[in-house]
Amino acid sequence: MYRVVRIAGPSTIMVEQRGVQSEVRLAGIQVIDPQNAVAFLTWTIGTSWVMVEDGRVYRSPDALFINDELVRKGFAQSTSGFPTAQHNGVYLGELNPAPAAKARESRAKAAPRSPVRPRATRVRAVRARRQ
């Protein structure tokens, strides 16, 4: 995990780990709108924590893939072979929605449950405070 120190350019960020600063160039993208890319990076990862893997930058704690977001927003073009949501349209948890749909249908067709009886509640007497 690295702390973002500053945004050095449209596809470059400065990060710090254990007091050592280093420059990270975002891999697999070619920026086509530099002004908006810098604004997006500043707003998205300003001084937050990130994870860096070979130039691929993920924001912590939600693991937002920054390289892909720049492509999705139209500020950059993908130049590498690693997949982006724009190319494959698959997001985490959506790999195969068919089993989840079947489970929902089977629950809907199941026999209706008996109504839940309310539990008895204890009544407490509230006494006025003596002064």
Side-chain angles (χ1 to χ4, degrees):
M1 296 298 286
Y2 298 92
R3 171 65 89 180
V4 176
V5 177
R6 67 182 172 88
I7 307 302
S11 63
T12 308
I13 60 174
M14 292 294 292
V15 295
E16 179 180 3
Q17 184 182 34
R18 297 186 188 125
V20 177
Q21 290 189 7
S22 58
E23 187 176 270
V24 175
R25 181 149 172 79
L26 301 178
I29 62 170
Q30 177 185 3
V31 176
I32 56 175
D33 188 356
Q35 185 177 8
N36 285 329
V38 169
F40 176 75
L41 290 174
T42 303
W43 182 78
T44 308
I45 59 173
T47 58
S48 63
W49 290 92
V50 294
M51 184 180 77
V52 180
E53 288 182 342
D54 299 326
R56 293 178 289 208
V57 178
Y58 301 88
R59 181 176 66 185
S60 177
D62 63 351
L64 178 71
F65 186 24
I66 299 300
N67 305 39
D68 184 39
E69 283 299 308
L70 282 168
V71 173
R72 287 184 60 227
K73 298 284 184 189
F75 305 141
Q77 293 178 340
S78 180
T79 60
S80 71
F82 65 86
T84 62
Q86 181 181 10
H87 295 127
N88 61 14
V90 176
Y91 294 95
L92 189 62
E94 295 181 354
L95 294 177
N96 189 1
K102 278 187 179 179
R104 278 193 299 272
E105 289 174 10
S106 66
R107 282 193 300 261
K109 292 179 183 177
R113 296 181 182 176
S114 62
V116 177
R117 285 188 260 155
R119 292 185 180 184
T121 57
R122 287 181 22 185
V123 178
R124 290 185 164 184
V126 178
R127 297 181 186 168
R129 198 183 241 185
R130 291 186 190 180
Q131 295 185 358

